[in-house]
Amino acid sequence: MSAPGGSSELEALTRYTWEEVRTHSTVASLWIVLRDPGAPSATLPRTPPRTLVYDVTDFHDSHPGGTDILLTHAGKDATLAFEDVEHSRYALIKLKEFLIGEIPERPVGKAKS
């Protein structure tokens, strides 16, 4: 999985906490988290890994694997389950539409030490 858009797009993402993400675990508000490994190739500058948040609420009815698989991972890190399935190029492009934010490595609001 590669980072959606350019680095400026990622820099502008809303930052969420795990506590916030966990509250979005129903069909009425369904978020999943995927860890992005950063730039995948030696020809691109390496970007740090990101923990990205996707709002798939409006997609669950259309998901080819069904709503249940999304609900199983709602409000959680779905990276392993996502990577275990060979998603099409279309699915990877479509995923970018649902990107709403990230979970920073450092807690939101905490100063660097």
Side-chain angles (χ1 to χ4, degrees):
M1 169 175 47
S2 62
S7 61
S8 62
E9 179 183 329
L10 285 177
E11 290 168 10
L13 290 174
T14 301
R15 293 177 172 208
Y16 296 101
T17 64
W18 277 107
E19 291 75 24
E20 290 172 300
V21 170
R22 283 187 198 104
T23 66
H24 298 273
S25 58
T26 68
V27 292
S29 185
L30 204 166
W31 293 7
I32 60 169
V33 172
L34 298 173
R35 296 185 189 275
D36 185 278
S41 120
T43 61
L44 296 173
R46 187 78 184 149
T47 57
R50 307 292 285 263
T51 303
L52 303 175
V53 181
Y54 298 86
D55 181 348
V56 295
T57 305
D58 294 335
F59 179 66
H60 74 86
D61 282 334
S62 303
H63 185 262
T67 297
D68 288 345
I69 191 67
L70 292 176
L71 280 173
T72 298
H73 300 287
K76 303 176 195 168
D77 186 337
T79 305
L80 292 177
F82 185 86
E83 291 176 347
D84 279 348
V85 176
E86 194 161 328
H87 287 87
S88 67
R89 181 171 171 80
Y90 173 76
L92 298 176
I93 292 168
K94 183 84 174 155
L95 180 66
K96 294 176 188 180
E97 295 175 25
F98 304 113
L99 178 63
I100 59 165
E102 71 172 321
I103 300 173
E105 283 192 34
R106 289 184 178 86
V108 173
K110 298 283 184 176
K112 294 180 182 177
S113 50

